[in-house]
């Protein structure tokens, strides 16, 4: 005969139920505490993120205002030094933007250089040609655009010594000083 197996079914009484309920409540309290800590941390993170976003917005506003002021200064310089029209000034701003994108030169570096060169040459188009040369020389020598454009502005007025100090050959093989046209052609 097959041996019989016993199945024991235990019914939980009042004491076990109270302990189970207390255990569940304790676990929910711990979970609630953890959720509160997570909520506080998330709130602090959100507040910090909002503060950073607000700071970035203020910085962006300042940068936009500074850029607008630089555009206005260049426009006024071009009007005064070259007699530029509104259309020429607008075209010049497109030039500054395009050169910045193509060559990676920041417009806050290019505008003062272009201003300096346009004043020295008396022409927007000559200033732009000289600015293109200045950007190439700056990239090739590692010298700042400001230093190169200042040297080119001086050379525009027959003082090529500043270009020589940048390491640019300013004398021909006979030892005679070259003209700016010859130097820029080289």
């Amino acid at each position: 005969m097959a041996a019989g197996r016993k199945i024991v079914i235990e019914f939980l009484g009042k004491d076990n139920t109270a302990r189970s309920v207390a255990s569940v409540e304790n676990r929910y309290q711990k979970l609630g505490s953890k959720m509160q800590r997570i909520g506080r941390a998330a709130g602090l993170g959100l507040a910090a993120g909002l503060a950073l976003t607000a700071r970035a917005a203020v910085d962006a506003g300042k940068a936009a205002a500074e850029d607008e002021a630089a555009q206005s200064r260049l426009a006024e310089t071009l009007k005064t030094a070259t007699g530029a029209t509104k259309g020429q000034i607008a075209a010049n701003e497109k030039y500054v933007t395009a050169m910045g994108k193509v060559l990676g030169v920041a417009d806050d570096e290019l505008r003062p250089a272009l201003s300096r060169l346009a004043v020295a040459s008396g022409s927007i188009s000559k200033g732009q040609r000289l600015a293109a040369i200045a950007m190439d020389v700056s990239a090739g020598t590692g010298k700042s655009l400001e230093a190169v454009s200042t040297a080119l502005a001086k050379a525009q007025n027959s003082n090529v010594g500043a270009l020589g100090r940048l390491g640019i050959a300013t004398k021909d093989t006979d030892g005679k000083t070259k003209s700016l046209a010859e130097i820029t052609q080289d």
Side-chain angles (χ1 to χ4, degrees):
M1 271 180 71
R5 295 195 178 179
K6 289 184 183 177
I7 297 177
V8 178
I9 300 175
E10 188 176 329
F11 291 98
L12 300 174
K14 206 175 193 181
D15 289 337
N16 288 339
T17 304
R19 273 186 286 186
S20 296
V21 168
S23 174
V24 168
E25 285 177 351
N26 186 27
R27 287 184 184 175
Y28 278 119
Q29 284 176 349
K30 287 180 182 177
L31 178 63
S33 295
K34 287 180 183 178
M35 293 302 286
Q36 283 178 343
R37 284 193 303 269
I38 290 170
R40 277 193 292 264
L44 290 173
L46 180 61
L50 290 173
L52 287 174
T53 301
R55 178 67 184 169
V58 168
D59 290 347
K62 285 181 182 177
E66 289 171 4
D67 189 59
E68 187 175 331
Q71 286 178 15
S72 294
R73 281 191 302 272
L74 179 59
E76 191 58 38
T77 299
L78 294 176
K79 279 183 206 173
T80 304
T82 67
T85 64
K86 287 183 181 182
Q88 289 171 319
I89 291 169
N92 189 64
E93 269 307 311
K94 288 181 182 178
Y95 169 82
V96 168
T97 301
M99 294 309 280
K101 288 179 182 176
V102 171
L103 299 177
V105 177
D107 57 2
D108 60 339
E109 290 180 73
L110 183 54
R111 282 191 187 100
L114 186 56
S115 176
R116 191 175 299 113
L117 295 166
V119 167
S121 67
S123 164
I124 293 177
S125 60
K126 285 181 184 176
Q128 288 176 347
R129 280 195 300 275
L130 289 171
I133 292 169
M135 287 183 277
D136 289 343
V137 170
S138 175
T141 62
K143 304 290 183 186
S144 72
L145 182 59
E146 179 183 8
V148 176
S149 63
T150 299
L152 280 172
K154 288 178 181 178
Q156 181 65 36
N157 295 316
S158 301
N159 181 357
V160 296
L163 290 175
R165 286 188 290 280
L166 291 175
I168 298 170
T170 58
K171 299 192 182 226
D172 63 15
T173 56
D174 295 331
K176 292 183 182 178
T177 302
K178 297 180 188 178
S179 68
L180 180 60
E182 292 170 324
I183 293 170
T184 57
Q185 184 179 4
D186 291 346

